[in-house]
Amino acid sequence: MSVTLNERLELIHRQIQQSCESLGRVAVALYDEKTDLLHTFLYSSCNNPLKNYQIALSNVPSLQTLALSGEQRVIRDLPETLAGSTSHHSQQILQEGYRSSLTIPLKLQDKLLGFLFYDSYEPDIFGDTLLSTLTLYAQLISETISHDLASIKTLRGAVVTAREFSRLRDEETAAHLSRMAHYARLIAIEVSEVYDLTEEEIEYIHQFAPLHDLGKVAIPDNILLKSGALSVDEKVIMRSHVIRGVEIVDLMIDEFDLGTIRHIDILRNIIAGHHERFDGSGYPAGVHGTTIPVESRIVAVADVLDALTTKRPYKEPWPFVDALKHMRTAEAHLYDPLCLQAIATRLDEMEQISRRFVEDPVEVA
């Protein structure tokens, strides 16, 4: 099993502590340009004061400035500098006892990838020598994350191309894929405590969710786009898209030399299991309950939610409240109840996502 990004960050933290024992935290937050949200991703310490935290970058002017300038920021005395701040993230960092910090913007192909944060329990420790060392580590961290995300982008780009050439024009629009990927992230955050999901795993669920129906590129158009009911034989062919999807992704990983992508098991589980159902009535394996991988259960709920709340040729969009009610009553046996509760908890945010990603054949989020 490959080392996770978080494990690599922990190793880097331990190496730095050999010369700087007071460095208590190394953390990475990723930036989503399409939503303007900055969300926590990796952290090296046992205590994570900002677990599953997100905030609009536009609401943090100091970080906006760093994003534009590309410059580092050293805060030599956090309690003094943040004395008047009422923001949640500032208060949490102070509450943990950190006294100084270094923030470095991370870029990927001249676009903002996110920020790297170094926090120390001692004030004014970021001298020139330590800054040089931490800047080198920042470059290593940035390149490691960038490599993984670029590989996923390559994989997703290849899928978009395949969809175009296969004339795939069912409900799997770019906007649908963007919405359900963001729904999946919110659901994953809500169930993370119970199902022990790390922020790194949550990010990969979000990144991989748009590939759930990859296998549909192998389904003939006369079946995929059929307006009427499918025959028994046609249903068998349609359902084969799950197995074909796993086969295709394995082939693409081999052909594009993408075997180093972390958490590839999450991708395979999403593709293979997003049509499984909690009562065992799904396909292809007919597994049930928590024997279905949690990422599969999350994406299944996100996918159905978007299908119900989106206009289709055969129906008008349902209000989110009605869609959730239907999923918790008539179809309650089909879905993980904790995932359904997550929708209820984050319903307002999901409606905002729906309004942000309207139907438009553009690049997947």
Side-chain angles (χ1 to χ4, degrees):
M1 182 180 292
S2 63
V3 176
T4 68
L5 289 173
N6 218 83
E7 288 169 341
R8 290 203 66 175
L9 195 70
E10 290 169 358
L11 176 60
I12 289 172
H13 187 182
R14 289 195 295 271
Q15 290 173 341
I16 296 171
Q17 283 183 317
Q18 291 177 11
S19 57
C20 181
E21 293 183 6
S22 69
L23 190 73
R25 175 177 179 259
V26 183
V28 175
L30 291 184
Y31 178 61
D32 184 341
E33 183 180 15
K34 293 190 175 182
T35 61
D36 188 44
L37 287 178
L38 190 66
H39 61 272
T40 50
F41 177 44
L42 304 173
Y43 59 94
S44 64
S45 56
C46 295
N47 295 324
N48 181 14
L50 294 170
K51 186 175 182 180
N52 292 326
Y53 181 67
Q54 63 180 27
I55 188 171
L57 181 60
S58 56
N59 289 336
V60 192
S62 60
L63 292 184
Q64 270 190 308
T65 300
L66 296 185
L68 292 173
S69 69
E71 297 178 351
Q72 303 177 358
R73 178 190 67 185
V74 174
I75 298 181
R76 303 188 183 282
D77 190 327
L78 282 169
E80 179 181 301
T81 303
L82 302 180
S85 176
T86 58
S87 69
H88 175 74
H89 52 273
S90 296
Q91 292 301 312
Q92 290 299 110
I93 291 297
L94 291 176
Q95 190 172 319
E96 281 296 312
Y98 296 120
R99 299 293 305 277
S100 58
S101 72
L102 167 65
T103 304
I104 302 176
L106 305 177
K107 296 292 184 76
L108 174 60
Q109 297 176 348
D110 295 327
K111 287 191 174 183
L112 181 65
L113 176 65
F115 295 91
L116 174 63
F117 303 94
Y118 295 106
D119 295 310
S120 171
Y121 289 113
E122 293 184 9
D124 199 15
I125 69 156
F126 296 102
D128 291 342
T129 301
L130 183 57
L131 280 175
S132 297
T133 300
L134 296 182
T135 300
L136 288 174
Y137 277 117
Q139 184 175 352
L140 174 62
I141 293 168
S142 180
E143 288 177 355
T144 302
I145 297 171
S146 297
H147 177 268
D148 252 35
L149 296 183
S151 296
I152 295 172
K153 186 176 181 180
T154 297
L155 185 61
R156 287 169 56 174
V159 171
V160 169
T161 301
R163 287 167 55 85
E164 289 297 321
F165 278 104
S166 68
R167 305 184 307 283
L168 181 53
R169 291 294 183 270
D170 68 342
E171 66 269 17
E172 302 294 308
T173 64
H176 161 69
L177 299 177
S178 295
R179 289 190 300 267
M180 60 85 61
H182 283 83
Y183 298 158
R185 183 206 290 282
L186 291 179
I187 295 169
I189 289 172
E190 284 300 311
V191 303
S192 63
E193 290 292 337
V194 176
Y195 293 132
D196 196 27
L197 289 173
T198 67
E199 289 175 293
E200 180 177 343
E201 289 169 329
I202 291 170
E203 178 61 25
Y204 278 81
I205 290 172
H206 169 74
Q207 292 287 339
F208 289 142
L211 300 176
H212 67 293
D213 269 338
L214 166 63
K216 282 187 175 181
V217 300
I219 304 301
D221 281 358
N222 65 306
I223 295 176
L224 184 67
L225 304 179
K226 186 174 180 179
S227 57
L230 298 178
S231 69
V232 173
D233 289 342
E234 288 171 336
K235 285 181 179 179
V236 171
I237 295 172
M238 175 64 87
R239 290 187 171 193
S240 72
H241 81 272
V242 173
I243 301 302
R244 294 302 304 275
V246 176
E247 294 172 348
I248 291 170
V249 81
D250 284 341
L251 178 63
M252 293 175 69
I253 288 170
D254 184 55
E255 290 294 322
F256 287 91
D257 194 23
L258 301 175
T260 58
I261 296 178
R262 290 169 176 80
H263 303 295
I264 205 67
D265 56 318
I266 291 178
L267 174 57
R268 291 193 180 99
N269 287 341
I270 285 173
I271 295 173
H274 70 280
H275 280 293
E276 301 291 357
R277 293 297 179 254
F278 212 65
D279 64 353
S281 64
Y283 65 89
V287 289
H288 63 86
T290 54
T291 59
I292 305 170
V294 62
E295 53 266 35
S296 306
R297 306 196 306 268
I298 289 169
V299 169
V301 169
D303 191 29
V304 172
L305 176 67
D306 192 65
L308 292 174
T309 56
T310 303
K311 180 179 174 62
R312 298 284 169 83
Y314 50 85
K315 74 168 191 66
E316 291 299 313
W318 290 20
F320 273 76
V321 172
D322 293 347
L324 176 59
K325 181 179 179 180
H326 176 75
M327 295 176 74
R328 298 181 87 172
T329 53
E331 296 185 344
H333 57 290
L334 300 179
Y335 311 114
D336 184 333
L338 293 183
C339 292
L340 295 180
Q341 179 56 44
I343 295 176
T345 303
R346 297 282 190 142
L347 199 62
D348 289 344
E349 291 168 83
M350 292 187 179
E351 289 181 323
Q352 292 173 18
I353 290 168
S354 178
R355 290 190 293 269
R356 179 180 295 274
F357 295 102
V358 295
E359 296 301 327
D360 188 5
V362 295
E363 180 182 336
V364 175

